[in-house]
Amino acid sequence: MVCYLRGVPRTPNGEDGEEPGLSPLPRPRSIRARYTVVAAVFSMVILTLLGVTLDLTIRYKVQADSFDQAERVASQWSAAARNGIVPHRMPAYPPVDLVQIVDSHMRVVDSSKAASDTVPLSTLRPPPDDRFQRRIECGEDHHCVMLMAIRLTPEADAGVVLAGLPEPSVLSTHRLEHIIAGGILLLVSVAAWTTWALVGRTLRPVEAIRARISEITVSDLSLRVPVPPGRDELAQLSITANQTLARLESAVRQQREFASTTSHELRSPLAGLRTQLEEALTYPDEVDPRETIRTALTAADRLEAIVNDLLVLARLRVTDAPPEPIDLGDLVSAEVKLQPHRLPMNVRATTGLMIRGSRMQLIRVLDNLMVNAQRHAESSVEITVEQDGDQAVVAVADDGPGVAPANRERIFERFVRLDDSRRRDPGGSGLGLAISRDIARAHHGTLRVEDSPKGARFVLRLPLGDRPDGSVHLHPARGALAPARKADGGTIGD
Ligand SMILES: Nc1ncnc2c1ncn2[C@@H]1O[C@H](COP(=O)(O)OP(=O)(O)OP(=O)(O)O)[C@@H](O)[C@H]1O
Ligand SMILES: [Mg+2]
């Protein structure tokens, strides 16, 4: 991985590309190394600035202190000299051990023991209007002396007191800089190591999560990523990842159940068909070929119904047709007219109840409710369309045997057909109500069996008008994948 000083050129597939004229800088791959480098560089810059400031401050302070000491001694002897009370071999006050009184001809009049009594320490001779002067004098051997010169009086032939001390090693060598540089390197190392350790510790759960995710396969979605203690971002990420894994596991389980239920449902009519045909072939004289063909056709009808409904279910999952405004009352009235029916269907529909959705899908719901009602009704079917608050309500009621409360939710599961219905129409697939509820949910509505004085009453509720976001999710709600059950109550594919 490389990066450039100006912008990172990237190819469409996200890989780094080449850009002529820019020099690539190596960039560490791992976040840990990147943070460590950033911390090291940052601390190096800050500490260098601090180190230079510290070095200059110390140098300035030591120099000022040294000159102050020299000035104090020079002042003392200057006062004594003016009063004429300077002893020969002037006593020194370490570290200011070089003291001389020099006359106007640069002759040494008096000196301390460490200073020469013939050669002046310096040619420095302050003018009358500036009696105090400082200087650093360096000899050929590179040893330097910090000198303070005080002119005794403003007169032309006035002597000068020179007081000096060897330049402190802090000023004369680079030891201070070396110590500061060493300290900076040490602190940068500590900062880099601390960052490396801290980022490593912070990212440890990420590595654990990565390792666990790499173990997870479609065949085993039961594993969960470890959740680090606390409620920080990583903990939240792990919790969300686990919730997603749980949903995936459940979706895959439901898909498997769906596949197994479907195979089971397809197998029964196929097995019946096969038996009939084998019998007809084995006992041609005993089996009525017309009867065999009729039974085979019934099985084929059932197979066709199941496959058609499965196709509808599959299409529901991918359809993304734009919703359109629909007058529900008009739609119901039109469908009743088109629907072939053996018993009268009485319609009471309020027109002008506008909803948004897929006309084709809503027709499928209405058709299924009407066919079911016709199948189970004794004498007639009542259909109403009316408004209830902000909902349009379609109720399809018949005067048949009704649906027992215990079965009112079950019949919306895939392939559930109650015994009575099998008897009345063996060709149904048991998918009609599952598809209808899917469609109702996709339209943000509901489809339920509600109480009725006689027979069954299916009630479809849909929100009136445009939704605030104008959306209709024309894909199945979660319930569409609920485990299917056999008509006798057992779950198919268990
Ligand atoms: N009006 C009704 N009265 C009594 N029972 C009903 C009524 N409508 C549906 N049911 C019951 O609910 C079951 C499921 O209905 P659904 O519409 O899902 O399947 P189906 O009508 O049997 O087959 P399909 O609609 O796929 O051709 C029916 O088999 C029947 O037992
Ligand atoms: Mg039906």
Side-chain angles (χ1 to χ4, degrees):
M1 169 82 61
V2 293
C3 72
Y4 291 92
L5 286 175
R6 280 186 281 124
V8 180
R10 293 200 174 265
T11 54
N13 59 8
E15 289 167 10
D16 298 346
E18 293 289 331
E19 188 174 301
L22 291 177
S23 62
L25 281 181
R27 186 176 171 208
R29 255 174 193 279
S30 82
I31 292 178
R32 196 181 189 188
R34 280 210 291 272
Y35 275 97
T36 305
V37 169
V38 168
V41 170
F42 185 72
S43 56
M44 174 76 96
V45 171
I46 297 289
L47 288 172
T48 303
L49 286 175
L50 286 177
V52 169
T53 311
L54 181 69
D55 181 51
L56 292 177
T57 308
I58 291 175
R59 277 179 169 273
Y60 176 82
K61 179 95 171 72
V62 170
Q63 197 177 53
D65 284 353
S66 301
F67 276 127
D68 284 351
Q69 284 173 325
E71 184 177 332
R72 225 173 293 129
V73 174
S75 300
Q76 201 174 334
W77 287 119
S78 144
R82 277 198 300 274
N83 295 330
I85 51 170
V86 181
H88 183 57
R89 279 286 168 232
M90 301 159 74
Y93 303 95
V96 188
D97 54 357
L98 301 169
V99 189
Q100 285 180 336
I101 297 177
V102 181
D103 67 12
S104 56
H105 301 290
M106 296 309 291
R107 283 183 303 236
V108 178
V109 179
D110 200 351
S111 67
S112 64
K113 197 172 159 199
S116 163
D117 53 3
T118 55
V119 183
L121 288 167
S122 168
T123 56
L124 189 61
R125 188 170 169 73
D129 55 347
D130 184 15
R131 290 179 51 229
F132 292 71
Q133 279 195 345
R134 318 172 148 189
R135 181 183 285 181
I136 298 178
E137 298 266 345
C138 295
E140 284 172 2
D141 57 355
H142 299 298
H143 283 113
C144 299
V145 176
M146 302 181 70
L147 275 177
M148 184 73 209
I150 300 179
R151 191 184 177 102
L152 290 177
T153 62
E155 274 90 60
D157 60 347
V160 171
V161 176
L162 296 170
L165 70 165
E167 189 182 32
S169 61
V170 170
L171 301 180
S172 61
T173 64
H174 290 300
R175 202 186 306 158
L176 177 63
E177 284 73 21
H178 292 157
I179 292 172
I180 290 178
I184 289 174
L185 283 180
L186 186 73
L187 288 176
V188 167
S189 311
V190 170
W193 183 85
T194 310
T195 311
W196 177 264
L198 274 181
V199 176
R201 216 173 102 178
T202 311
L203 292 181
R204 206 174 298 146
V206 176
E207 176 51 28
I209 292 169
R210 190 203 60 74
R212 180 58 55 82
I213 285 177
S214 70
E215 289 173 29
I216 296 172
T217 59
V218 179
S219 53
D220 184 9
L221 283 168
S222 63
L223 289 177
R224 294 290 176 268
V225 300
V227 179
R231 294 196 56 78
D232 61 8
E233 289 84 350
L234 282 178
Q236 298 296 329
L237 175 72
S238 311
I239 291 169
T240 309
N242 281 341
Q243 287 166 347
T244 306
L245 281 171
R247 281 201 300 274
L248 267 179
E249 187 184 15
S250 150
V252 168
R253 195 181 51 243
Q254 288 176 4
Q255 289 285 3
R256 286 200 186 117
E257 283 169 1
F258 181 73
S260 106
T261 311
T262 307
S263 323
H264 187 276
E265 283 299 309
L266 289 172
R267 211 169 46 193
S268 308
L270 265 180
L273 184 61
R274 188 188 182 87
T275 314
Q276 291 284 329
L277 295 175
E278 280 174 354
E279 260 182 28
L281 211 60
T282 318
Y283 313 106
D285 301 332
E286 292 167 33
V287 178
D288 175 8
R290 286 183 167 279
E291 184 55 32
T292 305
I293 293 172
R294 218 172 287 122
T295 323
L297 275 176
T298 310
D301 280 351
R302 172 137 180 77
L303 280 172
E304 196 180 355
I306 293 175
V307 170
N308 283 343
D309 282 347
L310 284 174
L311 268 176
V312 171
L313 260 184
R315 284 204 193 107
L316 268 182
R317 275 149 230 260
V318 295
T319 300
D320 208 6
E324 54 181 309
I326 298 166
D327 184 324
L328 200 57
D330 284 354
L331 186 74
V332 170
S333 305
E335 277 314 298
V336 170
K337 282 192 195 115
L338 290 176
Q339 189 64 232
H341 40 268
R342 65 177 178 95
L343 295 172
M345 292 213 275
N346 306 319
V347 185
R348 206 160 25 85
T350 310
T351 54
L353 294 181
M354 298 302 293
I355 58 136
R356 276 183 78 83
S358 159
R359 185 175 291 273
M360 290 311 299
Q361 293 189 2
L362 290 174
I363 288 174
R364 181 167 287 280
V365 178
L366 295 174
D367 282 359
N368 184 46
L369 295 181
M370 288 180 206
V371 170
N372 283 354
Q374 281 284 333
R375 191 182 290 153
H376 293 93
E378 268 172 21
S379 61
S380 66
V381 176
E382 305 288 327
I383 303 179
T384 57
V385 183
E386 53 196 15
Q387 182 173 355
D388 182 12
D390 57 357
Q391 289 182 320
V393 182
V394 181
V396 180
D398 61 64
D399 56 358
V403 184
N407 291 328
R408 285 187 184 173
E409 273 305 301
R410 221 162 61 80
I411 56 174
F412 288 96
E413 290 169 10
R414 280 173 288 111
F415 298 117
V416 169
R417 306 181 72 221
L418 303 180
D419 290 341
D420 178 50
S421 179
R422 286 173 191 278
R423 191 172 41 73
R424 287 170 194 259
D425 182 2
S429 72
L431 285 168
L433 285 177
I435 294 173
S436 301
R437 187 172 258 187
D438 256 13
I439 294 173
R441 283 180 174 164
H443 284 74
H444 308 283
T446 57
L447 176 62
R448 276 196 293 263
V449 183
E450 294 191 357
D451 288 336
S452 164
K454 181 165 169 50
R457 185 162 173 270
F458 285 79
V459 181
L460 170 70
R461 291 173 191 273
L462 296 172
L464 273 173
D466 290 353
R467 288 178 61 77
D469 57 3
S471 71
V472 171
H473 299 295
L474 298 181
H475 53 73
R478 217 181 267 178
L481 283 172
R485 286 174 186 284
K486 286 181 192 164
D488 57 8
T491 303
I492 297 170
D494 287 347

